Amino acid sequence: MQTTMIIIWAVLVAATLLFEFFTTDFFACCFSLGGIVALILAACNVNLYWQIPVFIVITLVALFGARPFLKKLFIKKTIPTNLDQYLGTTTKLLADVVDGKSTVKINDVVWTVVCADALKAGDLVTIEQPSGNKLIVKGAK
């Protein structure tokens, strides 16, 4: 039974570490920490009735104690780019919308825009979001 539990805890630790590798939320690593402690207990032939509660307690302590600290330490707020200052602003189209695309000029820079509306040159549009090197706009009200 102890060998089986060692394998189960090792698989749990490996799976949660792999999951944490693809995310940056420090959620799965808390389960890994609890799994490592439970794995050590299983290797020391401690009864299963102790392994599971210790796993739960260590995981909860890590979730509510270490996770907020780790997130604050490692996950930095995104720094807005210069393009973010234009979101929500209104500007004029330089050309008619053809095949959902047109152009606008913002601070002497001509941008390609994507627009679902059939608009003409000179119509006002509102910038909604960037999409690569293009701006997604909609007709201004």
Side-chain angles (χ1 to χ4, degrees), residues 125-140:
V125 291
T126 302
I127 300 169
E128 291 192 323
Q129 66 184 13
S131 176
N133 63 347
K134 297 174 181 63
L135 301 174
I136 298 176
V137 299
K138 69 175 182 178

Side-chain angles (χ1 to χ4, degrees), residues 67-140:
R67 184 171 176 252
F69 173 73
L70 290 172
K71 283 182 75 172
K72 184 186 252 185
L73 185 65
F74 289 109
I75 298 177
K76 304 295 181 195
K77 295 188 182 209
T78 55
I79 299 170
T81 62
N82 291 336
L83 185 57
D84 293 331
Q85 67 185 339
Y86 302 128
L87 300 180
T89 60
T90 302
T91 186
K92 288 183 183 181
L93 287 176
L94 297 178
D96 294 348
V97 175
V98 178
D99 294 329
K101 294 183 181 177
S102 184
T103 54
V104 295
K105 189 173 188 179
I106 303 171
N107 292 344
D108 297 328
V109 177
V110 176
W111 289 86
T112 301
V113 295
V114 178
C115 183
D117 304 329
L119 301 173
K120 303 289 182 192
D123 288 346
L124 293 177
V125 291
T126 302
I127 300 169
E128 291 192 323
Q129 66 184 13
S131 176
N133 63 347
K134 297 174 181 63
L135 301 174
I136 298 176
V137 299
K138 69 175 182 178

Side-chain angles (χ1 to χ4, degrees), residues 8 49 111:
I8 289 172
Y49 295 111
W111 289 86

Side-chain angles (χ1 to χ4, degrees), residues 24-40:
T24 57
D25 199 35
F26 295 110
F27 181 75
C29 69
C30 297
F31 288 91
S32 299
L33 187 60
I36 289 170
V37 173
L39 176 65
I40 292 168

